[in-house]
Amino acid sequence: MIHNDFSSRSQSGLPEGSAPIARYLSVPILRQGQVAAILGVGNKASDYNQDDVQVLHELASMVMEIVERKQTEILMSLLVTALEASASAIVITRLDGVIEWANPAFSLLSGYSVEEAVGRKRGDLGGSGVQSRELTAALSETALGRRVWRGELINQRKDGSLYYEEMTMTPVADEAGIIRHFVAVEQDITERKKSEEAMRQRIELQEQFAKVAACVPGVVYSFRLRPDGTACIPFAVPAIEELFAIPRDVLAQDAAPLFENIHPDDRQHTFETIEEASRLPSPWHDVYRYVHPVEGERWIEGWSAPQVEPDGSILWHGFVMDVTARKQVEEEIQSLNVSLERRVAERTAELESMLANATIGLAFFDRDIRFIRINNCLARMNGVPIADHIGRPLREVLPTIADTVEPMLRRVFDTGRPVTEMELEGTIAAHPGERRFWLHSIYPVPGQDGTVISVGAAVTDITEQKRAQEKLADLNRILQEEIAERERVEQQVHRLAAVLEASPDFVGMADPEGRVFYLNRAFSEGLGRPPERKPLAVADCHPAGSVRLIHEEGLPTAARTGVWRGETEFLTHQGRSIPVSQLILGHSNSEGKLEFFSTIMRDISERKQMELALRRRGEELAAANAELAGAARLKDEFLASMSHELRTPLNGILGMSEGLQEHVYGPLNPQQLRAVRDVEECGRHLLALINDILDVAKIEAGKVELELAPVAVEDVCQASLRLVKDSALKKKITVSFHLDKLVRVLTADERRLKQVLVNLLSNAVKFTAEGGRMGLDVVGEGDKGQVRFTVWDTGIGMRPEELQRLFQPFVQLDSRLSRQYEGTGLGLALVKRLTELHGGRVLVESQPGTGSRFTVVLPWTTELPVPVASDSWEGHQEQTGLLENAPEAVGGPLILAVDDNPQNARGMVDYLIFKGFRVVSVASGAEAIEMAKKLHPRLILMDIQMREMDGLEAIRRIRLLSGLREVPIVALTALAMAGDRERFLEAGATEYVSKPLSLDQFRRTIEALLNR
């Protein structure tokens, strides 16, 4: 009997009313340690013994095994049914990979039937070879490590097609814990993978489209017309907000706000074009007026292509752009054409009216790019009157933008095609030094035969729009900076607290009534107690005099202005007064109400002692400086005097020698002429020596001021090479010149730069043997902002130890009495100092017997204007004066010559008379004034340094005489100090010439002034 009725009423489990059992034996049937049922036997003829009990226990175990096996078979049947019905492929393999069981879903996934799969290795079915060795190794390592492996694989179906699958592989161990099988659950994810790849490609395409859209002029957008007739703009570049003044997120929901702003006269037509394009559907195009909330009425042109969506919506992709300027130009040009066809007689008046009243700049050019028409608007933009445009080339009127605009005008002439909506940036005369922006459109104007006879340009000044954009960008940048600054300040607050505590200065805070509520550590230590121990007031920290100053001046000033600075005393707990420099700050809230004071005090005991010592030392230095100033003044006076005393006799020597060579005093034989030339050459050599000495002295004294201006580099280099050309030819030296084409203009003092190059080139000629080579190379380094002038030669070169003494004044490397090369040793010293005045440096490379390379490195910017040739007298040296062939007659121009040195005067006067001028010579300023009033000369030559009345005073008085205010006066002086020219011109001189004179150049200067 087997039962599970454990009630006390039925020991055997038989129904009530059954016949009684004589003898009964029962044992429990156990399942997982719990009683599941009772196994009993009864009515044995004899009593039950222990063997019967043992047999009954064994029988109970057998019954339980049968029950459990039956339940397991039922469960396994259900499990197999579930696995076979699963949509996921399930495969059970042995350790060697042989398939022992697979469900039907595996057949659907792989294409192999269950019969074909069972008994074969998994790798023999659908192995695509796409998996890497690393993936296979990771799979094996995970599985053998009794861990579940999950991942994605690519396998091959029976028909050869590839598919993606997601696999979960679980190791299965027996009772002993040994892995015997693997269970793999596989799901086909091919479609998901395809969707993911399509999505990735779509995202990439959208990103590429967004990049392209940002580069397209106008606004790229998508317009959706829903089946219910409503519309929206789901996509648009950010520029749409500027174009329509409507946020993108609003348009993405509803396009109605945009339609409401379309001009009432154009709205219906725009709706009709959209309806017509949606019926076909077909590409859409329209031009309409849009009432911008800020900019007013604007012309908008749009294009788009349709795409029918699955929900019945029509999605147009296209772009729109503001064509207001173009429409205005088109309307004006159309109006002009109609006027020309209707009334030829009124052509000019109507054209001028249109040009004058146009709201944008208009101009017309001929094939030589000369202005033939321009309106008031564009003339005002250019800052040049209309009359100063007509007939003049664009390059002459607007040189700063000519390089950009001229090629476009010529292209329209050549192609006949317009150039529209082109943005231009530059500077013009109307706004000197200010960066401006314009929008240009250029159109051809055809003649009757279709050829382009002129070109029209429409210009709109968009500077303010650009500035608004820049301001918006600046505001965004400032906002970001403020956010970052706020975060930084928050981080600094904690650091500041630590700094205040660590500061040796006395830092404290008090309320408006003077009660102290914070002291830093140094303050507390100075007082000998913290403020928390006992209420502390400002008066407790200072002696009486300082307390009075703080209460009467310090605190009221800090409360009123926010800050007070002064010197007070700090009273320590030991009773010692320390002099301090004190800063008091008043801190107010946003409403201007004072909240508290803060103070910082610094011990200035040492400074006070130093101030006393410095005061004494200052008195001593003041006396020494007075002596130095007197010495410097005496030095300047000495240099000026030496300049005059040395140049004055040289002027007579050079003037006489030049006059003799010009045969002013009669013809000379060849030997005499050669001797006179030697005299002149020696005099000029002496003059160069004097100039070098004075230049070095002026540089050392800080008296040299550079006249910086844009300099044409090629002109300076060619002029310097011409000055050494004859010397190089005499020694048969080959001279080369290489110029970087990018180096056109340099900011420098042209005369000083030429002086540097001529000194280096002269040295190259001097130290290069006959038949050698030398050259000048100019190279620009734009990335470093510098230009290199390199003078090289194949001369004698120098030893390394000689280079250290190279730039010292009055030093010759060969200082023997029998030295081979002449010179004073000043040239390279001047080169170095003048280069450094320009902010540059000099580099030297040299080897004995090989040659030398001197490189002058100067600052350089590539955005300088090309200098215009000067109209000064130097610019006329190569021209033939109008008086070149004037007869030596009494009727020549009358010149008054004033000089108290008879030798100088005689040579100059004789030369001018020889050249056909009438000359009256006087020897003092007073005589000059009287003679000028009497003769009214055409020109006056005035020596500056004369006894009694100097030349400057004589010039001032002559300028006050009636009829002599405009007479040219040339100041002649042997002075050569900085500021001389400005003083002479301010006194009333017309021109300034330094002695010694070059008579030929002097004559050209006189002719230029007489012919002005």
Side-chain angles (χ1 to χ4, degrees), residues 773-787:
R773 294 181 295 108
M774 59 174 283
L776 171 59
D777 298 338
V778 182
V779 178
E781 297 178 342
D783 55 337
K784 298 181 180 178
Q786 62 187 25
V787 61

Side-chain angles (χ1 to χ4, degrees), residues 668-678:
L668 301 178
N669 61 39
Q671 292 81 6
Q672 292 170 332
L673 187 61
R674 185 164 54 253
V676 171
R677 287 175 179 166
D678 290 342

Side-chain angles (χ1 to χ4, degrees), residues 33 97 289 474 772 795-796 798 809 843 936 961:
R289 286 168 294 176
D474 290 341
I796 60 175
M798 292 170 285
L843 309 176
H936 285 273
L961 299 177

Side-chain angles (χ1 to χ4, degrees), residues 382-407:
N382 296 340
V384 179
I386 291 179
D388 291 344
H389 285 81
I390 306 304
R392 295 177 62 192
L394 171 69
R395 182 170 296 277
E396 182 179 328
V397 179
L398 301 172
T400 57
I401 62 172
D403 288 340
T404 303
V405 178
E406 274 191 3

Side-chain angles (χ1 to χ4, degrees), residues 223-411:
F223 174 81
R224 182 186 299 276
L225 182 63
R226 303 186 183 100
D228 61 1
T230 61
C232 65
I233 300 178
F235 168 80
V237 297
I240 196 170
E241 296 186 356
E242 180 181 352
L243 183 64
F244 292 122
I246 301 174
R248 284 193 295 169
D249 55 352
V250 173
L251 295 175
Q253 301 298 323
D254 189 4
L258 188 151
F259 291 131
E260 292 173 358
N261 287 344
I262 295 178
H263 194 282
D265 294 343
D266 298 344
R267 191 178 302 152
Q268 184 60 34
H269 178 265
T270 301
F271 287 155
E272 292 173 356
T273 59
I274 295 173
E275 291 175 0
E276 181 180 355
S278 64
R279 282 197 302 270
L280 295 176
S282 63
W284 173 82
H285 171 257
D286 192 21
V287 180
Y288 56 89
R289 286 168 294 176
Y290 183 82
V291 182
H292 194 282
V294 178
E295 299 177 2
E297 185 177 303
R298 311 294 294 172
W299 279 98
I300 307 297
E301 186 170 10
W303 299 263
S304 61
Q307 173 185 326
V308 179
E309 296 288 280
D311 63 353
S313 299
I314 301 178
L315 187 65
W316 280 278
H317 303 287
F319 71 96
V320 292
M321 62 189 302
D322 188 331
V323 294
T324 305
R326 194 193 74 197
K327 290 293 290 184
Q328 291 174 342
V329 172
E330 289 174 353
E331 292 173 0
E332 292 175 1
I333 292 177
Q334 182 179 4
S335 175
L336 176 63
N337 289 334
V338 171
S339 299
L340 290 173
E341 292 173 358
R342 188 176 62 251
R343 279 195 317 271
V344 174
E346 299 176 0
R347 174 179 178 229
T348 302
E350 292 178 358
L351 177 61
E352 293 297 339
S353 174
M354 184 196 71
L355 291 174
N357 296 319
T359 57
I360 62 174
L362 295 173
F364 295 88
F365 299 88
D366 61 17
R367 284 194 170 272
D368 294 326
I369 316 302
R370 292 177 302 191
F371 285 93
I372 56 177
R373 288 287 189 278
I374 186 169
N375 70 342
N376 291 328
C377 180
L378 186 53
R380 286 194 300 270
M381 285 188 201
N382 296 340
V384 179
I386 291 179
D388 291 344
H389 285 81
I390 306 304
R392 295 177 62 192
L394 171 69
R395 182 170 296 277
E396 182 179 328
V397 179
L398 301 172
T400 57
I401 62 172
D403 288 340
T404 303
V405 178
E406 274 191 3
M408 293 188 298
L409 294 170
R410 297 190 187 282
R411 185 163 68 249

Side-chain angles (χ1 to χ4, degrees), residues 407-524:
M408 293 188 298
L409 294 170
R410 297 190 187 282
R411 185 163 68 249
V412 174
F413 268 115
D414 295 340
T415 64
R417 291 193 297 270
V419 176
T420 60
E421 304 292 336
M422 191 207 68
E423 192 171 303
L424 178 64
E425 174 184 353
T427 58
I428 54 175
H431 305 276
E434 180 183 351
R435 193 165 57 113
R436 307 290 294 180
F437 299 89
W438 305 274
L439 201 61
H440 277 63
S441 293
I442 304 175
Y443 300 90
V445 179
Q448 292 183 351
D449 57 356
T451 59
V452 179
I453 59 173
S454 65
V455 164
V459 184
T460 303
D461 191 327
I462 59 171
T463 303
E464 296 307 321
Q465 177 183 344
K466 280 286 185 180
R467 287 176 178 168
Q469 294 173 354
E470 292 174 356
K471 287 180 180 178
L472 180 59
D474 290 341
L475 287 175
N476 289 333
R477 176 182 54 77
I478 292 170
L479 179 59
Q480 294 297 326
E481 291 175 353
E482 288 179 351
I483 293 173
E485 179 66 16
R486 183 177 301 170
E487 295 174 351
R488 188 188 67 79
V489 169
E490 290 175 355
Q491 295 174 357
Q492 292 293 337
V493 168
H494 302 290
R495 300 176 187 171
L496 181 59
V499 170
L500 289 177
E501 286 301 313
S503 174
D505 294 336
F506 307 136
V507 181
M509 298 181 187
D511 61 22
E513 286 71 35
R515 294 186 294 268
V516 178
F517 61 85
Y518 169 76
L519 301 176
N520 73 340
R521 186 171 59 212
F523 207 147
S524 297

Side-chain angles (χ1 to χ4, degrees), residues 1-6 24-41 55-68 71:
M1 179 69 67
I2 300 174
H3 71 92
N4 58 0
D5 183 4
F6 305 131
Y24 184 78
L25 176 64
S26 65
V27 296
I29 300 176
L30 300 177
R31 185 179 185 183
Q32 297 179 353
Q34 300 292 328
V35 177
I38 300 295
L39 174 63
V41 295
V55 171
L56 194 58
H57 274 296
E58 292 176 356
L59 183 59
S61 298
M62 292 175 61
V63 170
M64 193 66 242
E65 288 179 2
I66 293 171
V67 171
E68 287 181 345
Q71 290 179 343

